[in-house]
Each structure stands twice: as C-alpha cells, then as structure tokens.
Amino acid sequence: MKQPYDHSFHAFIQGIILVGFAMLMLHLILTGNIVYYIAPMMMPFIYFALVVFFLLGIIQVFRSTTKTDHDHHECACEHDHHIKGPSWVKTIIYSIFILPIVLGFALPDRSLDSSVAANRGIQLGGGGNASSSATDNSINETDQNNNGSTSRAEAFLEDPEGYMENLTTQSGEEEHYQFEDIYDEGWFDDYYAELYEELMNNTVIEVTEDNYLDVMTVLDLYLDDFIGKEMEIVGFAYRETDFHSNQIVAARFAMTCCTADASVYGTMIESEESNRFDEDTWIYARGTIKKDHYNDQPIPVLVDAHIQEVEEPDSPYVYPSF
Amino acid sequence: MKSSQGKIIGKDLLGLGLLLLFLILFLFSDRVSTSDYAEALPSAWINVNTIFLSIVLEAIPFILLGVFASALIQLYVSEETIKRFLPKNAWVSLVPAAMLGAILPLCECAIVPVVRRLIKKGMPLHVGIVFLVAAPILNPVVFASTYYAFRTNQTILYTRMGLAFVLAIIIGAILYSIFKSRPNQLRSQINVSLANHHVHLDGGEDLKQVKKASALTQLRNTLYHAVDEFFMMGKYLILGAFIAALFQTFLDRSLLEAIGGNEYSSTFVMMVFAYLLSLCSEADAFVASSFGSSFTDASLVAFLVYGPMLDLKNTFMLFAFFKVRFVLIFMVTVTLCVFTAVILLSGWIL
C-alpha cells in the first residue's frame, strides 16, 4: 500500500532547511567569514537570498500547519513537485540540502591555499594575454588623450564602495557594470595611465588589497619603466618545484564571483631570507624591482628583499576593481 | 490511530531536532570549527569544502531569481501570449529566440527553471533550447566581463558572442529535426494541460475560481511555487557543485595543459575544462584569460562558448527536468557543434 504524501511534514522540513540556509548566511556575514566564499561585488545577491530564505522558511512552516492546504491550492501543477520515492530516498534528498549547512557551520572557514595555487598555475606577470599584445602601448600615447573621461576613474578611486553601489543600483539587479562602460574604449588606458603616473611619483610602490590587480597590470604593461623602484607587497608564501632556494613568491588569489573562478597571481621575490618561510605563511616583502624571465615570460622580480611574517589580511583574496 | 498519532509526533520531533541542530551549530560554530577534529582534517578537504560552499552560496541567489521568474511566468504568462509572440514557422522562430536570449540577463543557473516553465507553458521545445544555450552567453553582463578580461584581444569577445548566437540557432535547428515528432521531452508530462488550467479560462468553473483568487492568494501561490521549485532544483545544484569542487581541488591543470598541444587537442581540453570547472558565465572570461599564455585563441573561445551552454552543475539540473535520452542527445549535439565550429573558425579568423 502506498503511503499518502504528507504535505505538512515536507513543508515543515523544507521550511526548517530554508531557515538553516538563512542562518548559515547570517553566521558567515556576522563573523565576516563570507569573504572566504563570495566576492564583495556579489554581496547584494547574498543579502537578497538571506532575506528571501528567512521569509520562505517562515511561510513554509506556516504552510505546514494548514492541513487542507493541498485541496485549496487551485494550481494543479504541484504534483510534479513532490519529492518521490520511498522514505530512504527522501532522507537522502533532504540530507543533500542539510549537508552544505552543516559543513558550513562545522568546518573551519579558510582561504584557499598553495596546493590549489599549484593546481591552477600561478601568473607571475600581470596575467595571460595582457603581456603579449599590450606591451607596445606607449605611455605617452595614452597620456595625450588623458583629458576627457577620467571622472569615472576618479569617482572610483575616491570612494570605491560607493561607486560600486551606484553601479549596482543604477543598472538593476542582474547587472554589475553599466552597459555604456563597454563602449567607453578610452577609459582603460586613461585609468591605467593615471595609476602609472601615481606609482611613478611615489618613492615606494605600496601594493594593497585594493590596488593589487591594477598595480600588477600596470607593472606588466610598463615593466621597463619600473626597474629600480622599490615595492612592498603582502601575500602567502608559495614555491614552484623548480625555484632556487632564494626564490619565493608572494601570491594572492584573485576572485571575480566565487572561489571556483579564483586565479592565482604572484610576485617573485629573491632574498637570502626566503628559505625561512614555509608555504602558506603570510609574508610581507620589500625590495627593488628587476626584470627577469620565467618560462620565457618577462616578469618583475623583487631583489634584495626584506621579508617578514605577517598576519593573514582581513580579506585574503583580491578582487577586480571595476 | 495511536500509531499514526505517534508518527506525526515523531515527524514533528524530527523537524524540531533539525532546527535545534542548526541553532546549536549557529551558536557554537566557532567552537566546533576550531576543535581538534576539524583542525586535523587534511587541508585538501578544507579546500574542497571552501570551493563547494562558495559555488553553492554564489549560485543560490541566481537559482532563487530563476525560480521566482519561473513562478511569475507560471501565474501571469498564458499559453496564448507565448503563441502570439512566436512566429508560426518552427524554423523562423529560432532567430527571435536567440535574440530574446540576448536581452534577458540570465545566467546558466537561473535559465534552467525559466526555460522549463516556458516549455511547460507551450513554448516549442527547440525554441526553449535556443533560449537555454543563448541566454547565458549573449547577455550584457557576460559581454562586459569578457570585454574586461580580453581587452587586448577583442577578437575573442566578438567571436564568443557571434558564435554563441549562430550555434544557438544551429543547435535549436538540429534538435528540432530530431525531436519534432516527439516534442514532449520534459519529465512528468502528464500534468502539462492540467498545469495551465487556471490560466486557460476555458472552463466556466475555472474562470470563477481565478476571479475569486485574491492578490494575496496569488502571492502565496507564487511563493509556494518558488519553494517547491527550489527544492526540485537545489539538490542537483548541490550535487553538481560538490563534484565540481572535487575537480577544482584535485584536477592538476598542468596535466591537461600538457596534452593541449595542437589545435584539436587544445580545443578538446579546454572544453573538458569548461565542463568540469562549472564556472559562472559572468566570471569564466577571467579564468580563460589566465589560460591565455598556454592555449590558443580558438581553444579559449571553445572554453567560453561551451562552458555556459553545458557544464557539470547544469547537467544535473537538466537531468532533473528533461528525459534522459533528450539530455544525452542535447549534450552530444552541443559538444559536436561547438567543437566543429571552433575547429572551422581556427583556420579562418582566430
């Protein structure tokens, strides 16, 4: 004999699972550990999901108390929503939903480490395609058309968060960037030209969480101009198997949406102090920029560097700044 | 009588126990996650966990948007509306479907429930498929991110967009010619006509019922639909995310790069990458650009076109909604189309 489908029970369990998801998100947001999973740019969507899950969870628990729910429900399409199969199948299905919630609470929140970096391959230059075709861009050329549209870059530099927020609210929920940006061809060169000026005027190039990827790109585009300048950088220690004993990389994961798309950037450091640091310890390094080659790619190297161990930064990942 | 009452109490206890478990975890999470047993876990598994949760958390809001869109379509878009807007000719209707995909900014997580609902509402299968493969690529957000990731190599951007448009139509046409005599490829088709009876407005009883339904009831039904659909799709998303996280952690990319030597094998390898990594189409361009130094432009385009059309996590969701045979034929078609197109193009523009 077949058991009737127990609506109220399923609605009840589903409601609690939804509340569980909401609690997990709330927990990650409150502890700040959400940075290990989601890029700040995607946070509005997480807040959205948090609120919706709480509401749906509560509604679902209420739905479970109305026994006659199904008869009232004038929409007959519901049958295919039933979770089918014998009770062990249902148990497995609900376990699938409970699993990420329990894992999220019970396992430590940590950033990806050097074993993932080794798997994904590290970029020691400014990154993939930028180096090959853009190196012939002369800075003077881009300087000349530097007059017009710098306001966007300025707005961003002054208040990055506000700028991003504006973008999000202006362009609706699904879009993170304004569509017109795409057609604003000169913007990139202007933006990087400005950063180039700024970096050249500073005695020491400070690489921070906020400017990480941009500095890497500028350094890659105009490496020759930066030879001999001092630079300081923070990253986790990483080594390739073919490194010399005085070589080490200060690496960062760059994340666009989530850790699945995180790629690894790093700056090669040459120093006698290198071998004192284990992989995955967070290091601060300060040294002089030199141009060198690794796997036939031109890369910047920090030579005569001073290295010291530091605390893991609040935001272990770096993010694209547009 | 007694036993059934006992059962109800037991079930209630089960739910309450679950709630209690969540509450305890919520309150004492710090203590649990820093305890010895958690610290003793191999770091590789912590990485799996991080990537797994990351994909799940990132995809959930988009799944929610997708199921809400689907629930709204269920309640407010009638079969007649869809019929009116689609050209009568099956072949002609492929083109506006691809263009519709270009307007709506839906990613590959959100598109599956929407397409399923549209097909249930009477949109022809092949048109839905065009929509399914076109929308995740041909959308403004993906355009922008590809532009940023490949700003020094805009050929990739335009090839990606162009190829997605053309291939979506070709894939739709192929599937139409295969399945035109058997358009019912959704699972549990029995309810299709029933499903729409409250918007049909043909039976007198229904008409009265619909008129009586207040705005509150409508809202309630929308939310119920959304929850039901979330639980239908969610399990496949979570499974897909877990397997993708395993591949993300344990698959050594240099191994695959080593066999990616010539045009054929590198295109193939990049398609395997795209499938296994299960990236969001909004972010995959950045990953592709990180492969830039070791792979040809053609294989990068293959990565960027194939991934959003078909990947591990959305395969699971497709199996949830469509018949097995159909999903398999769909996968083979998409794979062959993308591969052939990229190989052909590689001799020409790329």
Side-chain angles (χ1 to χ4, degrees), chain B residues 222-245:
Chain B
T222 313
L223 294 176
Y224 286 179
H225 270 289
V227 173
D228 291 337
E229 208 147 296
F230 174 78
F231 275 90
M232 249 204 98
M233 301 214 30
K235 53 184 185 282
Y236 297 99
L237 166 82
I238 293 170
L239 276 179
F242 188 75
I243 294 171

Side-chain angles (χ1 to χ4, degrees), chain A residues 19-275:
Chain A
V19 172
F21 269 112
M23 281 162 70
L24 176 62
M25 288 178 182
L26 187 66
H27 166 76
L28 291 174
I29 292 169
L30 290 178
T31 54
N33 287 342
I34 193 87
V35 297
Y36 294 109
Y37 303 101
I38 299 289
M41 204 170 71
M42 307 302 283
M43 283 311 289
F45 294 101
I46 297 296
Y47 293 129
F48 161 77
L50 170 66
V51 173
V52 169
F53 270 147
F54 259 125
L55 285 178
L56 289 183
I58 290 164
I59 288 170
Q60 196 72 357
V61 170
F62 272 116
R63 181 185 183 178
S64 74
T65 58
T66 50
K67 300 278 180 200
T68 48
D69 160 58
H70 192 56
D71 309 326
H72 276 278
H73 208 348
E74 40 302 21
C75 155
C77 61
E78 232 210 328
H79 302 286
D80 63 291
H81 290 310
H82 285 182
I83 294 180
K84 294 180 200 74
S87 53
W88 63 270
V89 171
K90 290 171 187 154
T91 315
I92 288 179
I93 286 171
Y94 284 125
S95 307
I96 290 173
F97 284 98
I98 296 167
L99 181 77
I101 304 175
V102 172
L103 285 180
F105 280 122
L107 293 189
D109 302 307
R110 249 186 257 159
S111 64
L112 299 178
D113 63 18
S114 55
S115 62
V116 178
N119 259 345
R120 295 193 178 178
I122 192 164
Q123 298 173 57
L124 295 172
N129 57 12
S131 53
S132 50
S133 45
T135 28
D136 50 349
N137 267 7
S138 132
I139 190 71
N140 295 327
E141 228 174 77
T142 47
D143 242 359
Q144 277 165 7
N145 48 36
N146 201 356
N147 321 316
S149 55
T150 47
S151 54
R152 205 182 286 274
E154 270 164 21
F156 175 76
L157 287 173
E158 272 165 29
D159 179 17
E161 275 171 27
Y163 183 74
M164 286 316 297
E165 253 173 44
N166 262 340
L167 283 190
T168 323
T169 46
Q170 275 171 23
S171 46
E173 273 199 319
E174 295 268 347
E175 288 185 52
H176 320 305
Y177 343 102
Q178 268 178 305
F179 200 58
E180 57 176 14
D181 278 354
I182 299 159
Y183 298 108
D184 203 352
E185 296 271 347
W187 181 64
F188 258 107
D189 292 335
D190 289 343
Y191 179 71
Y192 286 124
E194 208 167 83
L195 187 62
Y196 170 87
E197 287 291 318
E198 199 187 309
L199 294 178
M200 285 309 269
N201 291 336
N202 291 347
T203 40
V204 181
I205 299 173
E206 280 178 66
V207 187
T208 64
E209 267 97 77
D210 298 327
N211 68 11
Y212 187 92
L213 287 174
D214 294 333
V215 172
M216 288 298 128
T217 309
V218 171
L219 205 58
D220 187 54
L221 290 173
Y222 313 112
L223 179 55
D224 290 329
D225 300 352
F226 284 96
I227 294 170
K229 279 195 85 82
E230 272 198 273
M231 185 165 101
E232 48 180 34
I233 194 160
V234 171
F236 63 90
Y238 173 78
R239 287 183 188 86
E240 291 277 343
T241 42
D242 59 351
F243 276 14
H244 300 295
S245 67
N246 68 338
Q247 288 179 322
I248 198 166
V249 162
R252 291 304 275 270
F253 279 98
M255 180 158 103
T256 313
C257 294
C258 73
T259 54
D261 63 56
S263 41
V264 203
Y265 291 80
T267 308
M268 170 92 83
I269 298 157
E270 285 180 359
S271 163
E272 295 314 313
E273 303 164 27
S274 297
N275 48 19

Side-chain angles (χ1 to χ4, degrees), chain A residues 3 6 16 27 37 73 77-78 80 105-106 113 119-120 123 129 174 176 182 188 217 257-260, chain B residues 7 11 15 29 33 47 54 58 65 105 116 143-144 148 150-151 221 225 228 248-249 252-253 282 290:
Chain A
Q3 266 193 358
D6 187 346
I16 285 169
H27 166 76
Y37 303 101
H73 208 348
C77 61
E78 232 210 328
D80 63 291
F105 280 122
D113 63 18
N119 259 345
R120 295 193 178 178
Q123 298 173 57
N129 57 12
E174 295 268 347
H176 320 305
I182 299 159
F188 258 107
T217 309
C257 294
C258 73
T259 54
Chain B
K7 223 172 207 171
K11 281 177 168 178
S29 165
S33 61
N47 288 332
S54 185
E58 200 242 356
L65 288 173
R116 168 184 179 256
F143 189 100
Y148 283 99
F150 288 97
R151 57 187 179 277
N221 287 347
H225 270 289
D228 291 337
Q248 287 260 359
T249 313
D252 189 345
R253 295 190 187 182
E282 289 166 22
S290 75

